[in-house]
Amino acid sequence: MKKTRFGLGKKIFLGFSVLISFFALNAVLSIITLNQSEEGLSRSSDVVEPSMEAIDQLENTAIRSKMLITNWVYLQTNEEDKQDLRTLHNVEYPTLQARVKELSQQWEDSTEIAQMDTILQEFDALLATEKRIMSTLVTFEDYEDPVKKMVEGESVIEEVVLPSTASLLQRIDKLQQQKKTELASTKQEIIDSSSLLMTIVLSLGIGITVVGMLIAYITSRSITRPISYISSIVQQMGRGELPEESTKRFSNDEMGDMAEAVNKLSVGLRQTAQFAENIGQGNLKAEFTPLSENDVLGSALLEMRRNLQQVAEDEARRNWTTEGLARFGEILRQNTNNLAELADHIIGNLVKYTKANQGRIFILNEDNPDDPYLELQGCYAWDRKKHLNQRIDIGEGLAGQAWQENSTIYITDVPDNYVTIRSGLGDANPTCILIVPLRVNEEVFGVIEMASFQIFAPHEVEFVEKIGTSIASTISSVRINQRTSHLLEESQMLTEQMRAQEEEMRQNMEELQATQEEMQRAQRAAHDKEELINSTSLLLETDTRFRIQLTNGRAKEFLGHATDKVMSFSLHDLMTDGDQLADLKRKLEAGHYWQGVVSLNKSNGKSEEFLVIAGSIHTSEDQGVRYHFIINRIATVHTNA
């Protein structure tokens, strides 16, 4: 503790005015002591005694409250007590509560204030319980209801109201005893003040003589000693030396201040030089305290250290990030064929590198474009059996939310039971959760989720986001490679199939060509036969009544009839033998062929014998059955034969 300061002028002046000062001090101390006694009396009458009275009244109110609520439950018709209880709740207690709070604000002991707050809170809770009973037991039917009467009334009285009131009265009694002790202490302070006043008056009389002699000695000594010390220090500093810290004590005056200032200056310059040397050697954690708030050199050195520390920290973060990106780039390059192995390598190394505790990685599964979902592909230190087949839809949980919003989620207020980190020492909730979407060009390929006891620094979060972009790019490349490989396999299969189909088509074309050639030969043969028949035979087609429907030019030529006339004939008009016609008709109707030599009438009235071959054919449904006749002249037949 710093001593009371006496300057040189005061010390000199004190030597001539010591008696007047001590008499004045005597008067001041006497007035102060009397004022303290008066304040004690005033506090006793204005605060302590009214507080005790209010506490007593609060105790009586608690007792009356217990009695009246008991009567409310057990004495149904006692309307006077019920009205008193309502008055206590609505008027008496609020007034008393306000008075008690006003008085308690003037108490010096914060513990007593807290006790009174607790008492009022318990009283409020007790009155709230009573109000529930009052609102439950109102009508005659309420008292007749055993549930309301016994459970919500008598049971609450026995189990809540009476124990709560007893506890409340104990607290009030304890507070009463404390206030009584405070009142007794106040009275004792008044008595002690009177005794102290008498002691002060006697002591100052004796001290006047002693102090006067001491002042003369101290004044002379406080001037000579500091001057000698200052002279020695200034001479050493003039030679460029920094003296060691002195353990000498100096008087608390202007000369002492000068000596102390010179001493602190030498010590401060030595510490500043040592601090600058440590910084030059790279020791940025060296302790240093400036001489004052206005120490320009010390503040500049501290600012320089802060800048160097910031540069070192930034460099360490950059090196950490660069090393991590290179490390994970190598992992990504080595695992471009198997997505599951890539996920396991990535999440394991990422958790270790960031010094997290758990991690897992989900990859977007788009096998069904109408139902995409996140599929767990790898995890580290997680309950793998529980999450092995886990599926997360878009918007489901924090991982699904990160997928949906395409943004990082970082929380330090982890919900209970969200995830538990297990170790040999037990289970505990993580301090923070980091969920980063794996995205490239705003397209999400998966999600990384990590849990840690340590808070992730901003550069660590940024590092995981960068790694997420690299992972997403690799996943995209892996999928493209897989699709390319799959398409290549399909292309090879299609090529083989096309080759087989081409060979089969070639064979079919050869067979088709041979068939076409055979058909062309058959068509030519049929055409030749048809031409031969048309050129040598008479062709007729009749209906079932033997009316001529079609004919060829050869028939018109040999029969000698015009076309329109021939078409109006029937076979009856051409054949002369009715028996032959009947036999022909019978066989044709039975579906058989008929052949014979027939005498046919010509247009000149003569008849000529012809060889006739006849048969029936089925044409379209509207034409029905038709009879075809091939007619050759006998001479022609003989000639062909």
Side-chain angles (χ1 to χ4, degrees):
M1 182 180 295
K2 191 175 180 180
K3 300 178 181 179
T4 304
R5 181 181 179 82
F6 290 99
L8 293 177
K10 291 181 180 179
K11 292 178 180 179
I12 296 173
F13 178 77
L14 185 61
F16 297 95
S17 59
V18 61
L19 295 178
I20 298 175
S21 299
F22 271 94
F23 280 119
L25 179 61
N26 185 22
V28 170
L29 293 177
S30 299
I31 293 173
I32 292 174
T33 304
L34 291 174
N35 286 337
Q36 290 178 349
S37 299
E38 185 178 355
E39 289 177 358
L41 290 172
S42 176
R43 178 171 179 77
S44 176
S45 61
D46 295 341
V47 178
V48 179
E49 293 178 358
S51 297
M52 293 180 63
E53 180 181 352
I55 293 172
D56 291 339
Q57 188 176 355
L58 184 63
E59 181 180 22
N60 293 333
T61 302
I63 295 172
R64 286 183 61 238
S65 172
K66 177 184 71 174
M67 178 189 69
L68 292 175
I69 192 60
T70 303
N71 292 344
W72 186 293
V73 174
Y74 292 99
L75 301 178
Q76 176 183 352
T77 59
N78 193 343
E79 292 297 331
E80 181 179 356
D81 285 349
K82 290 184 177 181
Q83 184 58 40
D84 290 343
L85 183 58
R86 295 189 189 98
T87 302
L88 185 147
H89 277 253
N90 300 326
V91 179
E92 295 180 5
Y93 175 69
T95 303
L96 178 59
Q97 185 184 37
R99 182 186 175 195
V100 169
K101 287 184 176 180
E102 181 181 0
L103 289 170
S104 64
Q105 295 303 317
Q106 303 179 45
W107 295 353
E108 296 179 350
D109 191 344
S110 59
T111 304
E112 293 180 353
I113 296 175
Q115 289 177 348
M116 179 54 71
D117 290 339
T118 302
I119 290 171
L120 292 178
Q121 290 175 2
E122 291 185 0
F123 208 163
D124 289 338
L126 179 61
L127 293 182
T129 303
E130 292 180 359
K131 287 180 180 179
R132 288 197 298 272
I133 297 174
M134 293 165 66
S135 62
T136 301
L137 299 176
V138 179
T139 64
F140 175 78
E141 289 76 7
D142 294 338
Y143 281 90
E144 291 300 319
D145 187 342
V147 174
K148 293 182 178 181
K149 182 70 165 54
M150 300 296 293
V151 177
E152 299 180 13
E154 296 178 2
S155 178
V156 175
I157 290 294
E158 295 296 330
E159 298 177 2
V160 179
V161 174
L162 295 181
S164 298
T165 304
S167 175
L168 181 63
L169 292 175
Q170 288 179 356
R171 291 183 180 275
I172 293 174
D173 183 66
K174 180 179 179 182
L175 186 58
Q176 283 178 326
Q177 295 301 323
Q178 292 176 350
K179 299 310 289 184
K180 289 179 181 179
T181 302
E182 183 181 354
L183 180 60
S185 176
T186 302
K187 292 180 179 179
Q188 184 62 41
E189 288 178 359
I190 296 172
I191 296 173
D192 293 341
S193 297
S194 300
S195 300
L196 179 61
L197 178 59
M198 184 179 296
T199 302
I200 290 173
V201 173
L202 293 175
S203 299
L204 286 176
I206 298 172
I208 289 175
T209 305
V210 176
V211 170
M213 297 176 64
L214 289 175
I215 288 176
Y217 174 76
I218 293 173
T219 300
S220 61
R221 184 173 177 82
S222 62
I223 294 175
T224 56
R225 289 185 63 214
I227 290 178
S228 299
Y229 177 76
I230 292 172
S231 176
S232 174
I233 295 298
V234 170
Q235 289 178 5
Q236 292 181 12
M237 293 177 65
R239 296 191 297 268
E241 301 176 1
L242 293 177
E244 297 291 338
E245 182 179 4
S246 175
T247 58
K248 294 181 178 181
R249 298 293 180 180
F250 302 99
S251 59
N252 192 15
D253 54 20
E254 291 83 355
M255 299 304 299
D257 291 344
M258 292 173 63
E260 289 288 345
V262 171
N263 186 38
K264 290 181 179 179
L265 176 61
S266 64
V267 173
L269 290 176
R270 178 177 291 278
Q271 293 175 350
T272 302
Q274 183 65 37
F275 180 61
E277 183 179 354
N278 289 330
I279 292 177
Q281 295 174 354
N283 181 14
L284 301 180
K285 295 183 179 180
E287 296 294 334
F288 177 72
T289 302
L291 298 179
S292 67
E293 296 180 355
N294 300 321
D295 185 358
V296 177
L297 178 59
S299 299
L301 289 174
L302 289 176
E303 182 64 24
M304 181 179 67
R305 182 179 67 177
R306 282 192 293 268
N307 293 335
L308 291 175
Q309 288 176 338
Q310 185 64 42
V311 170
E313 292 174 0
D314 293 342
E315 183 67 20
R317 285 194 290 266
R318 283 193 295 270
N319 291 338
W320 183 84
T321 300
T322 303
E323 181 182 351
L325 291 174
R327 176 177 176 180
F328 285 95
E330 183 65 25
I331 294 175
L332 293 174
R333 283 192 295 272
Q334 293 175 356
N335 298 272
T336 57
N337 296 323
N338 191 312
L339 200 57
E341 291 183 1
L342 172 65
D344 281 334
H345 280 81
I346 283 294
I347 195 62
N349 284 275
L350 188 58
V351 169
K352 294 176 182 177
Y353 196 73
T354 58
K355 297 181 180 179
N357 299 93
Q358 289 182 346
R360 55 182 178 173
I361 182 171
F362 295 88
I363 303 300
L364 182 61
N365 188 319
E366 294 181 309
D367 293 341
N368 183 1
D370 296 331
D371 185 25
Y373 62 91
L374 292 176
E375 182 180 10
L376 181 66
Q377 287 290 345
C379 62
Y380 181 83
W382 214 287
D383 189 354
R384 188 173 180 82
K385 292 183 179 179
K386 179 179 179 183
H387 299 90
L388 184 59
N389 298 317
Q390 185 170 356
R391 164 193 172 127
I392 296 180
D393 295 319
I394 187 168
E396 179 183 355
L398 293 177
Q401 193 71 21
W403 172 24
Q404 183 179 33
E405 296 178 357
N406 194 8
S407 61
T408 300
I409 295 178
Y410 179 50
I411 58 174
T412 54
D413 186 12
V414 182
D416 293 337
N417 301 324
Y418 177 80
V419 65
T420 301
I421 297 178
R422 292 179 170 86
S423 66
L425 300 178
D427 302 343
N429 283 339
T431 303
C432 60
I433 296 293
L434 177 62
I435 303 174
V436 176
L438 310 178
R439 60 184 178 182
V440 174
N441 298 328
E442 300 304 321
E443 181 180 359
V444 177
F445 290 86
V447 169
I448 284 179
E449 181 177 6
M450 294 195 300
S452 175
F453 287 132
Q454 298 181 357
I455 298 296
F456 289 107
H459 72 280
E460 293 176 327
V461 176
E462 182 181 359
F463 171 76
V464 177
E465 291 176 339
K466 290 181 179 179
I467 291 298
T469 301
S470 300
I471 296 172
S473 179
T474 302
I475 293 174
S476 177
S477 300
V478 170
R479 286 185 172 176
I480 291 174
N481 293 338
Q482 290 177 345
R483 284 196 293 266
T484 303
S485 177
H486 181 66
L487 292 174
L488 181 60
E489 292 177 359
E490 290 183 349
S491 176
Q492 292 174 348
M493 292 176 61
L494 290 175
T495 301
E496 293 296 329
Q497 292 176 1
M498 290 178 64
R499 288 177 180 174
Q501 291 175 356
E502 183 179 355
E503 179 64 24
E504 183 179 356
M505 184 178 297
R506 186 184 62 78
Q507 295 176 0
N508 292 337
M509 289 295 293
E510 291 177 353
E511 294 176 0
L512 180 60
Q513 185 175 2
T515 303
Q516 287 178 345
E517 292 175 354
E518 183 66 25
M519 289 178 62
Q520 289 175 357
R521 287 193 296 270
Q523 288 176 354
R524 285 194 298 269
H527 180 73
D528 293 342
K529 290 179 180 179
E530 184 179 353
E531 290 294 328
L532 178 62
I533 292 173
N534 284 329
S535 62
T536 60
S537 302
L538 287 70
L539 300 178
L540 297 176
E541 182 179 305
T542 70
D543 57 13
T544 55
R545 294 182 181 181
F546 295 101
R547 292 179 299 190
I548 297 174
Q549 303 295 321
L550 291 174
T551 183
N552 66 348
R554 191 71 175 168
K556 300 171 187 175
E557 179 183 350
F558 279 95
L559 294 177
H561 297 286
T563 302
D564 54 349
K565 193 170 184 179
V566 173
M567 297 296 291
S568 64
F569 287 170
S570 68
L571 198 60
H572 299 82
D573 299 326
L574 297 177
M575 292 183 67
T576 59
D577 190 343
D579 294 334
Q580 281 185 324
L581 182 60
D583 181 61
L584 181 148
K585 183 177 181 180
R586 184 174 58 255
K587 287 187 176 182
L588 289 179
E589 289 178 347
H592 301 297
Y593 286 98
W594 186 88
Q595 180 178 345
V597 178
V598 177
S599 178
L600 299 178
N601 296 323
K602 299 179 68 174
S603 62
N604 56 10
K606 297 180 180 182
S607 61
E608 188 175 346
E609 290 184 345
F610 292 90
L611 176 63
V612 178
I613 301 173
S616 61
I617 63 172
H618 290 272
T619 60
S620 59
E621 293 182 357
D622 56 343
Q623 293 180 349
V625 179
R626 290 287 189 269
Y627 299 144
H628 279 203
F629 295 88
I630 301 175
I631 304 171
N632 290 301
R633 294 174 65 186
I634 296 299
T636 304
V637 173
H638 289 309
T639 302
N640 293 339

